[in-house]
Amino acid sequence: MIVATGTKISDGIAIGRIRILKEHKYEISYSRTEDKEGELARLEYARSEVQKRQRILYEKAMESAGEEGAAIFEAHELMLEDEELIDPCKELILQRGYKAEYAIWSGFDKTAQMFREMENPYLRERSVDIGELKNALLDVLSGWEVEEESDEEPYILVAKDLTPSETVRLDQKILLGIVTQEGSSNSHTAILAKSMNLPALIRCKEIDKEWEGKIAILDGEHSCIYIDPEAQFLKEMTAKRDERQKQEALLSLLKGKENKTLDGKTIKVCANIGDPSEIEDVLENDADGVGLFRSELLYLNSETEPSEEEQFQAYKRVAQALAPKQVIIRTCDIGADKSVSYMRIRPEENPALGCRGIRLCLTRKDFFKRQLRAILRASVYGNLGIMFPMIVSSKEVRECNALLAECRRELEEEGVAAGQMLTGVMIETPAAALCADELASEVDFFSIGTNDLIQYTCAIDRQNADLEDFLDPYHPALIKLIQMTVEAGHRHNIQVGICGELGSDPMLTEMFLKMGVDELSVNPGSVLPLRKKIRSIDITGTQSKE
Amino acid sequence: MKEFKHIIQDPVGIHARPAGFLAKEIKKYQSAVTIVKGDKSCKATSVIQLMGMGIVQGDEVIVRVEGEDEEACAAAVEKYMGENL
């Protein structure tokens, strides 16, 4: 048995076979060659090979997924048939003497760009197909083999690193747990793993290719993974895992019960989600609503900017499914650290301090207005709220509110219905916490984002895994800023919630409630444990504990 | 030269698969087939160009067929488009 350690994201236990996420990066050489005929032949070879593979995939998919699911592979095969797609590549070889790899890279990119710029969303998405074909051709030229996916068997995923969009795309039904070599416990991927309630281990330095296919136990409680465990140990851990699952089932008995402290104060416990597909988790865990809908995932998971209509559909789906519960949508919080190619955000020295969140939105007003319009339209179908991220001044809030009003007016003129909703700001910069009184007069609620608030208060990059030892999540400065925010909010009679990671920390629940926090919004998987905790707290100290 | 008009019925316009099969159909003949929409036109044998026209449901296109076997080719194309696009 091998034991490898890392940093845990949750206490869960996962037992199953390991699957290693293959990295495949292409090394594209810009070097030129005299052997043009040879490169043309390689291009044609790759083309016919990919066509063959697409045909095999098509037939395989016909069996497992039927006509509709298989169609894409046939479309790919037919697209490769088209000389228009291949000619630009041939030209790069014949006229410029590039090797086939670069010719494909550059030629296909040009075609993909043409599709990306199209109006029709269906055709815009075809840029993805062009990209996939490009990769398939490069795979052939590099001799890289696509692995047969053993679809049905549940597995523990081991990877060097995972991007947020990769994490979301994993099939949750058969994903038992995640182990990565990099990442930090505040990274977006870790947050996502937590919200998917997946056992996860990060910064596991000893990851080894040899693990592929082996039975492993991911032990969150002890922050480690055991490879090839002995039979007796496997049995013990399986029993332990089942026990945990039983505990979780017991927690589920709390569902439907009132969320009151011992002395009778009702606390709202909401869920944080990033995608409409998580609606089920919200309902399953009986959350009082959604305190934070991270709308940026809609942008990060798309190859092109989601249109107003696409966004409207996503928000409407969440609003409708959860009505009359409230869903608070945080407007797009992307920047150079969470970037997407189509946004063409320039890399920055200091992305955390750069053009992100509301700064990006107020710089690109048309982009921002598409989202505001979509939210306004969707608010007709349920109980939506909206909040703005990365606010540092009341001037920004007034600007946001003015844009929101402008969108409302425009919709009215177009005869399109727009609903009423509460507006709020994220308190996630020290500036916002210190000016909370001024901000409170512009909005209906505050939501404290503790992750960014601690990063900006302590000047510690939360993506930098090496600094984790310096990051004290209970730093007194952070606690003071939270307290100031709650007091300022209540002076102006507005609600104050916490939607950051600290909200689910049971060590802090009592303190937060004593400060007067009205709402806690946590990952769906933390809702029930938090409710259990709340029901054991006596805020005023008037109820004797049994 | 043979010419006919067609209104696109498919909800997503002209997309990859039907366009690909159209190209295959045309390649059985000697004639050249051009699709015209407004001031844009393209070879009907190119899936990429055809999709690049951004043709959507309800658009009227003109199909021009030119070549030795244009009669038979135009008939085949008209039949295919009527059934699939």
Side-chain angles (χ1 to χ4, degrees), chain A residues 200-250:
Chain A
L201 198 62
I202 57 165
R203 299 173 72 196
C204 181
K205 299 290 171 206
E206 298 125 286
I207 281 176
D208 192 330
K209 280 189 209 114
E210 300 294 312
W211 295 0
E212 177 76 52
K214 293 191 169 158
I215 292 281
I217 304 169
L218 198 177
D219 181 357
E221 198 183 338
H222 298 103
S223 303
C224 61
I225 181 162
Y226 312 96
I227 316 295
D228 276 339
E230 280 93 31
Q232 181 56 31
F233 185 57
L234 185 63
K235 211 172 127 189
E236 282 168 27
M237 289 303 285
T238 308
K240 204 168 161 190
R241 178 197 62 188
D242 295 345
E243 178 59 27
R244 275 190 65 90
Q245 285 172 351
K246 223 168 82 190
Q247 283 300 324
E248 279 167 21
L250 277 178

Side-chain angles (χ1 to χ4, degrees), chain A residues 186 191 449-456 462 499-502:
Chain A
N186 272 319
I191 293 170
T450 52
N451 305 8
D452 271 326
L453 189 54
I454 192 164
Q455 137 159 312
Y456 294 127
R462 66 187 165 113
C499 69
E501 289 293 287
L502 282 192

Side-chain angles (χ1 to χ4, degrees), chain B residues 8-76:
Chain B
I8 301 299
Q9 308 294 332
D10 195 302
V12 282
I14 294 190
H15 53 120
R17 219 153 60 119
F21 285 122
L22 177 66
K24 280 197 160 178
E25 186 66 30
I26 295 169
K27 282 178 186 163
K28 293 179 191 162
Y29 300 89
Q30 307 294 320
S31 300
V33 181
T34 313
I35 306 260
V36 186
K37 187 197 120 186
D39 53 3
K40 286 196 283 187
S41 71
C42 76
K43 281 186 287 183
T45 42
S46 169
V47 183
I48 302 298
Q49 280 196 0
L50 209 48
M51 289 201 291
M53 300 261 286
I55 294 168
V56 295
Q57 187 178 26
D59 279 355
E60 187 182 78
V61 296
I62 299 166
V63 183
R64 287 202 186 109
V65 186
E66 207 163 359
E68 280 177 24
D69 51 2
E70 60 189 33
E71 284 290 332
C73 181

Side-chain angles (χ1 to χ4, degrees), chain A residues 27 35 69 218 256 263 411 453 505:
Chain A
E27 280 176 29
D35 184 15
L218 198 177
D263 49 339
L411 287 169
L453 189 54
D505 187 335

